Amino acid sequence: MDIVIISPPTQRTRDAVVVRLVETLSRQSILSKCYGTLPSDEASSAARLIETEAFSTAAASASAEDDGIKILQVYSCEISRKMLDTVKTHASSAAASSIVNAGTAPQTPSLEGASATTASEDNSPTVTES
């Protein structure tokens, strides 16, 4: 019986993870419905960073008695966590940027301005007694 080594992931597996991350971050998905998408170049660099950090974290958690499954669980969980952190950060940055680009936060009209507008726009007929 051959023993299959599960961990660490091969470079081919790691490259496939990066490709899938880029797709998930830059295309329409369940995640993008909540947080939006990243431009392809930003998604590519984010995906590489996410995978590298997840791999490092998983490698650091490895011990001699692990059969590899625990390491892969750490790797997968780290990828998911870091991906979610990335899209949340991007979404909050995009929201902040749109407020800055608009000049100021949306303003609520004052009551004074609203009543002046209402009075000047009142075109109802005036009833006078004779």
Side-chain angles (χ1 to χ4, degrees):
M1 181 172 165
D2 291 332
I3 297 176
V4 178
I5 299 175
I6 296 174
S7 181
T10 63
Q11 189 59 48
R12 182 176 170 193
T13 300
R14 293 179 67 192
D15 292 342
V17 167
V18 170
V19 168
R20 185 68 180 134
L21 278 168
V22 171
E23 290 173 2
T24 302
L25 294 170
S26 64
R27 294 186 183 161
Q28 291 298 315
S29 66
I30 293 172
L31 200 59
S32 71
K33 288 180 183 178
C34 293
Y35 302 106
T37 58
L38 276 68
S40 292
D41 58 334
E42 191 176 334
S44 181
S45 60
R48 290 182 204 300
L49 182 62
I50 290 167
E51 194 285 327
T52 300
E53 290 177 355
F55 184 82
S56 295
T57 301
S61 74
S63 67
E65 50 283 340
D66 283 338
D67 61 0
I69 293 176
K70 182 172 181 344
I71 297 167
L72 283 179
Q73 287 174 331
V74 170
Y75 178 70
S76 297
C77 288
E78 282 297 305
I79 287 173
S80 297
R81 187 181 63 76
K82 290 179 183 303
M83 181 175 58
L84 191 56
D85 289 347
T86 299
V87 295
K88 283 181 176 180
T89 300
H90 181 267
S92 64
S93 296
S97 176
S98 67
I99 290 173
V100 169
N101 289 339
T104 60
Q107 296 179 354
T108 308
S110 67
L111 291 177
E112 208 174 273
S115 59
T117 302
T118 304
S120 68
E121 291 177 1
D122 187 10
N123 295 326
S124 59
T126 307
V127 177
T128 54
E129 290 185 32
S130 323

